[in-house]
Amino acid sequence: MATSTKQDYYELLGVSRKAAQKEIRQAYRKLARKYHPDLNPGDKSSEEKFKQVQEAYDVLSDSKKRQTYDQFGFETPGAGGAPGGADFGEAHFDFGGFDFGGGGGAGPSFRDLFSQYFRGGAAAEARSRPEPGSSLEYQIEITFWEAVHGTVKKLTIARLDACTDCRGTGTVGQPQTCTACGGTGQVTQTSGRMRFNLTCTRCGGTGRIRNLCRLCGGDGRVRRVDTIDVRIPAGVQTGSRVRVPGRGNAGTAGAPPGDLYIITEVQPHSFFERRGDDLYTVVPITVTEAALGAKIEVPTLDGRSLLRIPPGTNSGQKLRLRDKGIPSLRQPGSRGHQYVELQVIVPKPVDERVRELLRELDRLAPEDPRKDLFERTKA
């Protein structure tokens, strides 16, 4: 008996055995457009390749069929684990007396009929099933002040848009009667004494053939470059995602488009250090201001603000200015705080008068800030 070697389904679609369903579906669509009979009229090799691609997709897109194929390959197990059976849902039929090879009988083998039986329906479903468009992500860089106040950015993006020639349907012109099935949507094939009514692979069981749009290749979408204005709200930070609804890739067969997500990267500021919605700043003060207390002006996002320094302030002490931070993106109307770290600047003894005043201060208020230092090390 003559035998034929079938190409591995994963190799046919050009994907790995660990490929996800999305990757398998994308590979199938690409190859189906490439070898579709309507785009390759009279090319028998393309038509045969198209059938093989459909058969591979039917098996690999179905989790149960894929699991069986990964385990047994083309040798579908029958009763008792021997090749020769086919499992249709819950029922099991033993076809041990029929030809499962690839050319030993006058008609097609049962395996060919089995694959065609499922192939037509899956192909029709894959062609007609609407799928929402995928979302897109773009990263932009903005300044610190643009993040604080919000801004509008002009952005140029490349996206899949609905084809204008076919209005997103993927086909053009009036449908015609399928010549392969005569408009019935089914074809009859026999194997030995058995006769099978199979879904027509040419029209996918619809009985009608429509011409594929040559501009989009039947996908219903074409790649276009758009320039849009994107509003960046106040309060974004590095890593924030700004959603622009409906600006992603167009869906297929009338399905809704995906969204566009803008990922922001905010440039740092030389004075204001941002931590979430709070700001941290370092402000120098004199020894006199630290010792006696004072009221000083400090920079904030809103301009100059008055800050009260309590007497006896040490260098490194932090004071808080309420609601002087970044506008909150999650809680509109609220703001973070600004924390001011005070840095005491010690005067330089530039002349004898300054040195004498410092010595006089030491005599009037003698203090040893290190008196407990060594005791603390023994604790």
Side-chain angles (χ1 to χ4, degrees), residues 70-310:
D70 289 342
Q71 186 174 1
F72 301 103
F74 295 112
E75 295 298 330
T76 308
D87 192 293
F88 297 88
E90 296 295 331
H92 181 85
F93 302 91
D94 186 7
F95 299 99
F98 295 90
D99 174 25
F100 285 83
S109 70
F110 181 79
R111 179 173 293 144
D112 291 337
L113 295 177
F114 175 76
S115 63
Q116 290 181 36
Y117 181 82
F118 287 101
R119 183 178 62 208
E125 184 181 2
R127 283 194 296 266
S128 60
R129 185 192 304 127
E131 289 193 5
S134 58
S135 296
L136 299 176
E137 285 190 357
Y138 277 80
Q139 184 169 340
I140 63 171
E141 186 178 58
I142 60 176
T143 67
F144 173 84
W145 291 109
E146 287 175 332
V148 169
H149 300 300
T151 185
V152 175
K153 287 289 188 180
K154 194 174 292 294
L155 186 64
T156 300
I157 61 172
R159 57 187 293 266
L160 292 175
D161 200 4
C163 177
T164 55
D165 283 14
C166 65
R167 297 182 180 180
T169 63
T171 60
V172 294
Q174 294 297 321
Q176 300 176 351
T177 302
C178 177
T179 57
C181 64
T184 64
Q186 292 186 329
V187 293
T188 302
Q189 293 192 16
T190 59
S191 178
R193 298 179 181 179
M194 298 190 67
R195 176 174 294 181
F196 294 87
N197 288 328
L198 306 175
T199 301
C200 178
T201 58
R202 180 90 187 271
C203 65
T206 63
R208 311 286 281 175
I209 293 293
R210 301 195 69 165
N211 295 323
L212 293 182
C213 174
R214 294 189 176 275
L215 178 61
C216 65
D219 184 58
R221 304 175 300 177
V222 293
R223 185 166 294 278
R224 288 198 175 93
V225 177
D226 293 337
T227 300
I228 60 175
D229 289 330
V230 178
R231 188 184 71 84
I232 306 298
V236 297
Q237 56 186 317
T238 295
S240 294
R241 287 163 57 93
V242 179
R243 176 173 172 262
V244 185
R247 285 293 188 171
N249 288 325
T252 61
D259 299 326
L260 172 65
Y261 289 93
I262 306 300
I263 313 300
T264 56
E265 181 177 351
V266 182
Q267 298 172 353
H269 193 272
S270 59
F271 179 74
F272 296 105
E273 179 188 351
R274 180 175 180 176
R275 302 179 193 175
D277 291 338
D278 295 329
L279 292 176
Y280 288 79
T281 55
V282 178
V283 175
I285 59 175
T286 66
V287 171
T288 304
E289 290 171 333
L292 302 180
K295 290 182 179 180
I296 64 172
E297 288 184 333
V298 296
T300 69
L301 299 182
D302 305 317
R304 296 169 179 260
S305 290
L306 202 62
L307 178 66
R308 190 182 72 84
I309 301 174

Side-chain angles (χ1 to χ4, degrees), residues 39-55:
L39 296 180
N40 301 274
D43 189 343
K44 294 295 182 182
S45 62
S46 292
E47 184 175 355
E48 181 61 28
K49 192 72 174 179
F50 179 72
K51 293 179 180 180
Q52 294 174 1
V53 168
Q54 285 184 322
E55 177 179 337

